[in-house]
Amino acid sequence: FVFSSFYSLKNEGFRITPLTLFLKLMIPLFSAIMIVLTVVSAGIYRINYDRIYTNFTKEIGAQIEINSRHIDAVLTATGRQLLTVSHTNQALSNDKNGVKEILVRMMTTRDSVVTDYFFADSGGDLVSSTSDKKINISDRPYFIAAMKTGKLTFSEPIVSKLDGRQILIEAQPVM
């Protein structure tokens, strides 16, 4: 609503016509209505914000739970695969070509989060399922821990020596 006086054009110039009593009374009334509507709008906005925030928080929590379960399932399955490979004749006899064939086959059925399978001899020299690059991992904490404990070991996030990406390693020693 817009209320205002208006100008009327006469030969001698402009003449201002004052607001009527009705219009003068309507200004405070409509001002009060506008203030009430503004306050109500702010309240509605706050209520909707709280609902959206709550729903978003629940959705994020549910997604985190789903991702955690997926990661747990992948790590468990990958750990079983690594344990199986560690008991093969090829791994036990340090047959790098034979182990590489097994790792290449494993890549065809891997989960999408698994980027590579590799085998390292006791000196840390690496055989990868995806690369022929010569790499030594004997300085890596996960390799040292796996060799020391003889158990499945997980790394902290590290930079891959193969491709420079951030990765996690699950290492199963061959005993």
Side-chain angles (χ1 to χ4, degrees):
F1 300 99
V2 177
F3 296 96
S4 176
S5 59
F6 61 92
Y7 298 101
S8 61
L9 189 56
K10 296 227 178 200
N11 290 341
E12 66 268 7
F14 291 103
R15 194 179 110 206
I16 298 175
T17 305
L19 293 173
T20 64
L21 182 59
F22 174 75
L23 293 177
K24 287 179 183 178
L25 294 175
M26 295 308 289
I27 290 173
L29 176 66
F30 284 118
S31 294
I33 290 171
M34 290 303 290
I35 290 170
V36 168
L37 289 175
T38 302
V39 170
V40 168
S41 296
I44 290 171
Y45 175 82
R46 179 62 188 187
I47 290 168
N48 284 330
Y49 171 81
D50 289 343
R51 286 181 183 166
I52 289 169
Y53 182 78
T54 301
N55 288 340
F56 182 73
T57 304
K58 287 178 184 176
E59 192 174 304
I60 293 295
Q63 191 61 48
I64 288 170
E65 180 65 27
I66 290 168
N67 290 346
S68 296
R69 287 181 183 177
H70 179 243
I71 290 169
D72 182 57
V74 168
L75 292 176
T76 300
T78 303
R80 287 185 190 131
Q81 288 176 318
L82 295 176
L83 183 63
T84 301
V85 171
S86 73
H87 288 88
T88 64
N89 291 332
Q90 293 88 334
L92 293 169
S93 65
N94 202 26
D95 174 10
K96 291 182 181 179
N97 290 329
V99 172
K100 181 166 181 135
E101 289 177 21
I102 295 170
L103 300 179
V104 168
R105 279 191 305 237
M106 287 170 56
M107 283 297 289
T108 62
T109 60
R110 68 181 167 78
D111 189 275
S112 63
V113 299
V114 177
T115 58
D116 195 2
Y117 291 102
F118 60 88
F119 172 79
D121 61 20
S122 59
D125 293 323
L126 192 79
V127 173
S128 167
S129 65
T130 60
S131 173
D132 291 326
K133 191 174 177 181
K134 301 292 181 200
I135 295 174
N136 186 286
I137 59 166
S138 61
D139 62 329
R140 297 291 193 153
Y142 65 86
F143 180 80
I144 295 167
M147 293 297 288
K148 187 176 184 179
T149 65
K151 296 180 181 178
L152 183 68
T153 305
F154 297 91
S155 74
E156 295 293 325
I158 59 172
V159 175
S160 170
K161 289 186 177 184
L162 281 173
D163 57 21
R165 292 186 298 175
Q166 285 280 328
I167 59 171
L168 295 173
I169 300 290
E170 186 173 8
Q172 173 65 50
V174 176
M175 300 289 180

